[in-house]
């Protein structure tokens, strides 16, 4: 079985600590930065943790990167 990587997208104060748990941290301050991080997710990422602000930026935004469908989870506010 292959285990994918975990990434986190959002404000630095919310996602920074996840690097200690091995997540790929993609700091994104603002909607355009969130969409860019989402589009450019590294290969092998199967779970993306989003801050509430990041999730809102992706609500009507782009589809999953390169046709992939990573599982997403939104942090509580």
């Amino acid at each position: 079985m292959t285990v994918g990587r975990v990434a986190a997208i959002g404000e630095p104060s919310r996602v920074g600590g996840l690097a200690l748990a091995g997540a790929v941290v993609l700091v994104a301050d603002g909607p355009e930065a969130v969409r860019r991080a989402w589009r450019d997710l590294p290969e092998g990422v199967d779970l993306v943790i989003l801050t509430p602000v990041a999730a809102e930026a992706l609500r009507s935004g782009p589809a999953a990167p390169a046709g992939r469908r990573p599982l997403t989870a939104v942090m509580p506010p």
Side-chain angles (χ1 to χ4, degrees), residues 48-75:
V48 181
I49 300 169
L50 301 167
T51 64
V53 172
E56 183 63 32
L58 293 176
R59 181 169 295 210
S60 61
R68 298 179 354 226
R69 302 186 116 203
L71 179 64
T72 58
V74 179
M75 293 177 171

